[in-house]
């Protein structure tokens, strides 16, 4: 079983790794794959709980575990059964990570392709090269509207790209899911709070991706998400549970911090 101390040790170890987001993501995937499914769920559940309590290392590495569940799934042999077992284990905050189904809103792929063709006459290869190398902010802004994910992948590695533009891309509506997923996969941009928030609040993002982002949001974001009728119901329910998890954590902290008075004297006083 994944004890609290074991989860803390795992978080400390991954948090201390050098080499960037990809190294930490792969290390998180190895931690998930070497355990049996029940222990995997318990580890993730404890890390979510520790993060909601505000423990720094867990908050930092939770990003790596969420990315591993999405991007390294093929290297985690039992990933398909985690959702079912999480329900059996009554680990609702873990089961929530495996939301399924279509996004709240969807943009037709043919319509997106026609919009790209009307806006750009260059070949796909030229657009990708331009996206990666252009120094002109206006050109970069125009290329950021392309629905083809390979073009956006190159936009995201352009050194001239700003967080403000990435947030605008992540919040763009209507949108195809593929470019939004590229932003979530970007080690450079997916760690930015404003970018995560824009993705999570975009009704065109598939819920299986949104469910990995919601646990990384802060309390104010979660409250706003719960109140938003434009988002997928699974994400709103997930946010509700995470808020409850945070409230429980605060109650436990207060309980442990304030010892009960000992009624030694006749009036409860020493």
């Amino acid at each position: 079983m994944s004890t609290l101390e074991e989860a803390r040790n795992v978080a400390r170890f991954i948090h201390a790794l050098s080499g960037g987001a990809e190294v930490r993501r792969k290390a998180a995937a190895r931690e998930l794959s070497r355990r049996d499914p029940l222990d995997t769920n318990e580890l993730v559940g404890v890390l979510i709980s520790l993060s909601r309590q505000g423990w720094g290392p867990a908050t930092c590495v939770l990003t790596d575990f969420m990315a591993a569940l999405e991007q390294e799934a093929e290297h985690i042999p039992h990933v398909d059964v985690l959702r079912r077992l999480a329900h059996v284990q009554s680990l609702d905050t873990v089961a929530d990570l495996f939301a399924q189904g279509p996004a709240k809103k969807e943009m037709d792929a043919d319509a997106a392709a026609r919009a790209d063709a009307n806006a750009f006459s260059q070949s796909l290869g030229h657009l990708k090269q331009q996206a990666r190398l252009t120094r002109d902010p206006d050109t970069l802004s125009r290329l950021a509207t392309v629905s083809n994910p390979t073009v956006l992948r190159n936009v995201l590695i352009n050194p001239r790209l700003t967080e403000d533009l990435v947030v605008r891309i992540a919040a763009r509506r209507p949108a195809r899911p593929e470019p939004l997923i590229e932003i979530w996969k970007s080690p450079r941009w997916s760690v930015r709070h404003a970018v995560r928030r824009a993705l999570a609040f975009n009704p065109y993002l598939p819920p299986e991706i949104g469910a990995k982002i919601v646990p990384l949001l802060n309390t104010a974001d979660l409250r706003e998400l719960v109140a938003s009728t434009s988002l997928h119901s699974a994400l709103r329910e997930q946010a509700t549970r995470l808020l409850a998890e945070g409230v429980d954590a605060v109650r436990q902290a207060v309980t442990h911090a304030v010892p009960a008075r000992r009624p030694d004297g006749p009036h409860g006083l020493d």
Side-chain angles (χ1 to χ4, degrees):
M1 302 222 4
S2 295
T3 64
L4 175 61
E5 192 53 39
E6 183 184 6
R8 286 181 178 275
N9 289 337
V10 168
R12 291 188 188 102
F13 168 72
I14 294 180
H15 183 50
L17 288 176
S18 59
E22 184 176 359
V23 170
R24 292 193 305 273
R25 185 185 75 235
K26 291 184 179 299
R30 285 194 297 273
E31 287 292 338
L32 296 175
S33 62
R34 73 181 184 85
R35 289 172 165 77
D36 68 48
L38 297 174
D39 284 353
T40 293
N41 280 341
E42 287 195 0
L43 173 64
V44 173
V46 172
L47 289 174
I48 291 173
S49 181
L50 288 171
S51 176
R52 295 298 302 150
Q53 291 173 40
W55 189 56
T59 300
C60 292
V61 304
L62 192 59
T63 299
D64 307 310
F65 279 88
M66 296 301 99
L69 285 171
E70 176 61 32
Q71 299 174 41
E72 305 289 338
E74 61 185 31
H75 303 301
I76 304 171
H78 46 257
V79 73
D80 323 355
V81 302
L82 293 180
R83 177 191 173 100
R84 177 175 57 81
L85 290 178
H87 281 300
V88 173
Q89 295 170 275
S90 298
L91 294 173
D92 293 334
T93 58
V94 178
D96 286 339
L97 301 175
F98 303 98
Q100 297 172 328
K104 179 80 170 180
K105 296 184 179 181
E106 295 182 287
M107 182 183 186
D108 181 72
D110 291 337
R114 287 195 299 272
D116 285 354
N118 290 335
F120 301 96
S121 58
Q122 302 100 319
S123 68
L124 178 60
H126 179 82
L127 291 176
K128 288 161 62 176
Q129 182 180 43
Q130 194 175 28
R132 187 172 66 255
L133 300 176
T134 184
R135 293 171 171 267
D136 179 45
D138 292 333
T139 300
L140 193 60
S141 295
R142 287 183 63 246
L143 288 165
T145 66
V146 177
S147 63
N148 188 299
T150 63
V151 175
L152 186 60
R153 195 177 306 148
N154 283 275
V155 168
L156 292 170
I157 61 175
N158 189 305
R160 299 280 175 156
L161 187 64
T162 64
E163 180 176 329
D164 181 64
L165 180 53
V166 179
V167 170
R168 297 208 313 267
I169 304 168
R172 188 165 178 256
R173 306 167 194 183
R176 286 292 301 163
E178 296 87 359
L180 301 178
I181 294 171
E182 286 298 326
I183 298 173
W184 163 238
K185 289 180 177 179
S186 167
R188 178 184 175 192
W189 298 110
S190 63
V191 296
R192 310 289 182 98
H193 171 260
V195 174
R196 289 173 177 170
R197 176 186 158 83
L199 286 172
F201 279 84
N202 193 324
Y204 290 87
L205 183 73
E208 70 233 37
I209 304 297
K212 311 294 191 306
I213 300 174
V214 170
L216 309 176
L217 301 179
N218 62 35
T219 298
D221 294 331
L222 293 177
R223 287 176 180 151
E224 189 175 342
L225 199 154
V226 169
S228 175
T229 57
S230 66
L231 298 177
H232 199 286
S233 59
L235 302 186
R236 295 169 64 197
E237 291 167 8
Q238 180 183 19
T240 299
R241 273 187 277 273
L242 289 168
L243 285 171
E245 182 93 12
V247 169
D248 290 344
V250 170
R251 284 175 181 160
Q252 290 174 18
V254 170
T255 300
H256 291 131
V258 182
R261 272 185 118 171
R262 190 182 59 191
D264 291 333
H267 302 291
L269 300 174
D270 291 337

